[in-house]
Amino acid sequence: MPFKIMSLTDAAAERITEIIEDSDTPVVGLRVGIKNAGCAGVSYTMEYVEQPIAGDDHVEDKGVNVWVDPKATMYLLGTVMDFEQSKMGSSFTFKNPNQTGACGCGESVTLAAADLKALSEARAGA
């Protein structure tokens, strides 16, 4: 079985499916990336995908399509996306082996790039 750049928990896959089904416009999946933000360096981004963007890395897991911004792939390699609910709210979370730090408020994280050889192997399906 080829290595996936990212994987989803059952809860994340179920929530993404709900988002797709509830969307007012045709949506085929989510796009995940990172952006410069917060005191720790970067935050995760998510947006609806109506049409896949050429060059994005595609992950299909548990029947859900996720596209990864290629500029973020080396920082997301091996990440598990989850969806957590509590009395205070609900949100997608990322268990990222490339995370080296986080800010105290939880708005941003510090990420180190993954091994480029591992990234190359993941993209090749090795």
Side-chain angles (χ1 to χ4, degrees):
M1 181 172 166
F3 179 80
K4 293 181 180 177
I5 293 166
M6 287 182 59
S7 60
L8 305 172
T9 64
D10 289 342
E14 288 171 18
R15 182 63 185 131
I16 293 169
T17 300
E18 289 171 4
I19 289 170
I20 291 169
E21 290 173 353
D22 292 344
S23 175
D24 292 335
T25 59
V27 174
V28 295
L30 286 183
R31 185 174 197 244
V32 176
I34 57 174
K35 68 177 180 178
N36 292 336
C39 47
V42 298
S43 64
Y44 297 100
T45 64
M46 291 186 298
E47 58 190 335
Y48 295 128
V49 174
E50 294 177 10
Q51 292 287 332
I53 297 172
D56 276 7
D57 289 300
H58 177 243
V59 175
E60 191 279 325
D61 193 17
K62 297 177 176 59
V64 175
N65 289 299
V66 175
W67 283 269
V68 179
D69 180 342
K71 293 181 290 241
T73 299
M74 66 185 194
Y75 297 99
L76 298 178
L77 194 63
T79 296
V80 177
M81 184 176 174
D82 195 6
F83 183 74
E84 297 178 358
Q85 292 182 284
S86 71
K87 291 180 181 179
M88 300 301 288
S90 60
S91 65
F92 285 101
T93 60
F94 297 86
K95 292 171 182 65
N96 187 336
N98 306 301
Q99 182 175 322
T100 59
C103 67
C105 63
E107 291 294 317
S108 62
V109 295
T110 304
L111 301 177
D115 180 331
L116 291 179
K117 182 179 179 213
L119 174 59
S120 178
E121 290 172 356
R123 284 185 168 155

